Amino acid sequence: MTLLIMTTMVVAHAAAETSNRSRASAHIFGPGVISGPDGDMAPSFASGGSRLYFTRSYPDTSAIMISDKKGASWSTPVVAAFSGHWRDLELAIAPSGAYAIFASNRPHPGQTDSLHATYFGQPQSGGNLWKIDFESGSSVPYPLPPSVNDGNSVWTPSISGNNNLYFMKTDSVSGRFRLHVANDDGGKYRHVDTLPFSTGAFNDVDPSIDTNEKFLVFSSDRGASVSGSKPGPERLFIAFNPRSPDALVCAMEIPGWTNKTESQIESRFSPDERTLYFSSRHPDNAAGRSAKATWNQGSINIWMIPFQPDLWRTVEGASPACRAHA
C-alpha cells in the first residue's frame, strides 16, 4: 500500500511538473544585445553553445552576425567574416559542428549579379543555399548542387544528425512555399523529396529538424485564410515523424499569445533541444521592461520558450487536439 501511495504521488508530481512546463511563457532572447532595434532571427549555436550565429535584417539587406557568450552574457554582435556584402541569412550549423549552410542572394562563381526571384506574385530578392566547411579552415562559402538549388527561391536550411538537409523553396505549381529534404551522400544531395504533409495548399516555411529526425518544427499559414500565394499570418506547428505519409501535424499555441495577426517564424533549437527559439513582432510584455527602450522598436525579435516535443502533441482546449495533415 505504501509503495502504491508513493508511486501515485510520483506520477501526480510528474504530471503537475509537465503541466507547469507546458504553460511556460516565452520571453525575449538577449534583449538589447541579440534582439535589438533591427530585425533579428534564426539563432544557431556552435562550440557547445558558447558561440551564436544569427541573422540581423535591415530594410534593404541582412547579414550573419556572431556573438560569444561571456559568463551569463553575450558579447556585442559583429558581422561574420564571410558576410556583410550580399543578403545573407538563416545560417544553420551541422550538429557535428563541421560545417554550416546558409541562404544568400550572392552570385554563383563566374557570375556578377545577385540572385532574383518571383514569389508572392511579385519580384523579390532571390536565394540559394551556400556551405562553409569549418573543419577545413576555409571561410569561403560555395553553393550547394543544383539538386537543392533548383531555382532562385531556396531558403532556410536545417541539418539533422546524419547530415540530411531540410529546406524550403517556392513550388512551381501553387506559387507557395513547400518543405523538402535532401539525403546526404557526401554533400551531393542527389535525392530530394518533398515532405508529404507539405502539399502546397498552404505556405509551409522555416523547417527546424531535430537531431534524430523524429520531429520538425515549422511555420505555416494553415489555419489562416489563404488566398493566392501570399502568406497569411504564419504560426508555429510541429510535425511528428515528418518524412512519413502519416505525419502528425500539431499547432503550437504559445501561452499568453492572443494576437493571431503576428507571425511566428524562423524556429531553431538550442544544442540540447530543450529550448525553442523563434522570431516575431509580438510586443514584449515582460514585467518592468520599458516599452520605450532604445532596442524595443517593434521589429522582429528572437523569442525563447522551454521545449519538450511531446507536450505539443495536444493543444489545450481543442478536440481533437491535432490530426494528420492538420
Side-chain angles (χ1 to χ4, degrees):
M1 181 64 70
T2 302
L3 178 60
L4 176 60
I5 293 174
M6 291 179 62
T7 302
T8 302
M9 292 176 63
V10 169
V11 171
H13 177 75
E17 186 179 352
T18 296
S19 177
N20 288 337
R21 282 196 296 263
S22 70
R23 291 193 293 269
S25 60
H27 59 277
I28 294 283
F29 173 50
V33 179
I34 305 303
S35 293
D38 301 300
D40 299 304
M41 58 186 182
S44 190
F45 297 88
S47 302
S50 62
R51 168 160 285 196
L52 170 70
Y53 293 80
F54 69 99
T55 301
R56 177 155 288 171
S57 58
Y58 306 94
D60 298 319
T61 190
S62 59
I64 306 297
M65 311 296 292
I66 297 178
S67 175
D68 291 312
K69 196 168 190 179
K70 300 181 183 299
S73 302
W74 291 97
S75 65
T76 300
V78 297
V79 178
F82 57 85
S83 189
H85 185 68
W86 307 103
R87 185 172 182 261
D88 302 329
L89 65 162
E90 302 174 328
L91 181 138
I93 298 173
S96 67
Y99 64 92
I101 296 174
F102 65 98
S104 179
N105 72 340
R106 59 183 63 200
H108 283 237
Q111 301 178 3
T112 56
D113 294 333
S114 61
L115 299 181
H116 293 84
T118 299
Y119 54 91
F120 300 156
Q122 60 186 17
Q124 308 271 8
S125 176
N128 274 179
L129 298 187
W130 293 70
K131 185 174 183 180
I132 304 174
D133 291 318
F134 290 144
E135 288 189 339
S136 70
S138 173
S139 61
V140 179
Y142 57 92
L144 293 189
S147 55
V148 171
N149 287 328
D150 178 18
N152 286 353
S153 183
V154 186
W155 313 90
T156 323
S158 182
I159 307 163
S160 71
N162 61 1
N163 295 312
N164 289 338
L165 173 66
Y166 291 73
F167 61 98
M168 61 181 258
K169 69 175 180 178
T170 307
D171 182 60
S172 60
V173 176
S174 68
R176 301 187 178 104
F177 281 105
R178 299 176 70 182
L179 305 182
H180 305 265
V181 57
N183 291 334
D184 175 64
D185 53 0
K188 296 183 175 62
Y189 303 115
R190 285 172 288 204
H191 185 70
V192 178
D193 288 322
T194 303
L195 296 181
F197 71 83
S198 185
T199 63
F202 311 97
N203 280 291
D204 295 334
V205 300
D206 301 341
S208 186
I209 190 68
D210 77 299
T211 302
N212 297 316
E213 296 182 282
K214 292 182 178 180
F215 55 86
L216 179 142
V217 175
F218 66 104
S219 298
S220 178
D221 57 9
R222 55 184 68 206
S225 177
V226 178
S227 177
S229 62
K230 189 175 182 179
E234 296 155 324
R235 313 292 291 180
L236 291 174
F237 289 80
I238 184 170
F240 295 93
N241 198 13
R243 300 188 69 161
S244 168
D246 299 317
L248 182 67
V249 178
C250 303
M252 299 180 67
E253 296 293 337
I254 305 299
W257 285 41
T258 58
N259 187 342
K260 303 296 184 181
T261 64
E262 296 294 350
S263 291
Q264 305 159 350
I265 59 173
E266 298 288 358
S267 60
R268 297 293 178 93
F269 299 118
S270 61
D272 62 7
E273 296 179 353
R274 294 181 180 178
T275 302
L276 178 71
Y277 298 85
F278 63 95
S279 291
S280 179
R281 294 184 187 275
H282 193 281
D284 178 20
N285 298 321
R289 182 162 291 155
S290 172
K292 298 180 180 180
T294 56
W295 67 269
N296 192 2
Q297 302 296 314
S299 296
I300 295 175
N301 289 315
I302 301 173
W303 292 77
M304 57 190 297
I305 189 170
F307 178 76
Q308 292 187 44
D310 286 340
L311 295 180
W312 302 102
R313 285 185 182 272
T314 61
V315 180
E316 295 179 9
S319 180
C322 52
R323 61 190 185 277
H325 311 299

